[in-house]
Amino acid sequence: MDLPICIEAAQLGDAPAIVKIARKAAPLQYENAGIPMAESQLEETLLSAWSLGVVKPILMHPKKHTLVAKDHHNHIPGFCTVSFEEACPFNLAMGNDKEWASIDALYVDPTAHRRGIRSSLLEAVELVAKQRGCLKIWLTVLEGNEAALNLYEKRRYVVVESTDFPPEFGIPNDYIMVKYSEAE
């Protein structure tokens, strides 16, 4: 059942909620992809990516845009961050680099899954990208994270490439997914 939510631009005061959601939801991507992580390794990964010291500069960055989902109690169950500063770093960039946006993060509190929040956030961030002139959006998904792959495929993202890290690097591979929008 979809929750009645509104999607709005994140404010600096939303940073603690964003950190909390990311630290709860981010581990699921590794679990879904079947990637075992020691608790200490997971904690180190989460601290380096999702602390107030990392999130606040993202929220203030002029070439990044974070949207939050809010319920009728003003509680934030999810967020999505898109970046407008990078062209696709893979061999996919065609045309003007300014036409590319990247989805850096899309997380929903695990207690609010299967309620349409991820789809609503994704739809809203795609609209923001289009309004900024970005007709192509790229993102990465851990290989094996079927839940995320299914979500993006439903929204017409396609796998165009995969990273190919040698096993000895100990780095999980990602699918690179792209969505091409048409200009109106």
Side-chain angles (χ1 to χ4, degrees):
M1 180 174 92
D2 290 356
L3 286 174
I5 58 166
C6 66
I7 307 295
E8 59 187 57
Q11 303 300 312
L12 201 52
D14 297 330
I18 290 169
V19 169
K20 184 178 179 181
I21 292 164
R23 291 179 57 78
K24 285 173 70 175
L28 294 178
Q29 67 186 331
Y30 301 107
E31 183 180 316
N32 290 344
I35 299 169
M37 291 186 84
E39 195 169 325
S40 61
Q41 181 185 15
L42 181 59
E43 185 63 24
E44 183 179 321
T45 300
L46 292 173
L47 282 174
S48 67
W50 298 109
S51 66
L52 286 175
V54 173
V55 171
K56 285 182 176 182
I58 290 171
L59 294 177
M60 295 185 296
H61 196 290
K63 293 188 178 181
K64 293 187 183 289
H65 191 81
T66 299
L67 296 174
V68 293
K70 289 190 176 181
D71 66 17
H72 63 283
H73 296 295
N74 225 22
H75 174 258
I76 298 174
F79 73 95
C80 185
T81 298
V82 64
S83 176
F84 302 103
E85 65 183 339
E86 301 175 23
C88 185
F90 306 99
N91 293 326
L92 312 171
M94 301 170 290
N96 184 344
D97 288 348
K98 293 179 184 173
E99 292 178 349
W100 285 97
S102 66
I103 294 178
D104 301 334
L106 172 59
Y107 290 119
V108 171
D109 186 309
T111 63
H113 281 186
R114 314 250 353 125
R115 297 183 182 162
I117 297 169
R118 282 181 285 214
S119 293
S120 294
L121 282 163
L122 194 53
E123 183 178 337
V125 87
E126 290 168 358
L127 180 61
V128 168
K130 198 169 194 175
Q131 290 169 342
R132 300 255 316 236
C134 298
L135 301 178
K136 305 167 200 158
I137 301 174
W138 70 274
L139 55 87
T140 60
V141 175
L142 284 171
E143 285 183 0
N145 188 348
E146 296 300 322
L149 285 168
N150 290 336
L151 169 71
Y152 294 122
E153 286 173 344
K154 284 179 186 174
R155 299 240 4 120
R156 297 188 351 253
Y157 287 77
V158 294
V159 174
V160 294
E161 197 171 318
S162 177
T163 57
D164 191 23
F165 299 116
E168 61 269 18
F169 282 18
I171 301 171
N173 285 312
D174 287 313
Y175 289 120
I176 297 105
M177 300 185 81
V178 173
K179 181 175 184 175
Y180 301 94
S181 299
E182 295 184 23
E184 293 185 42

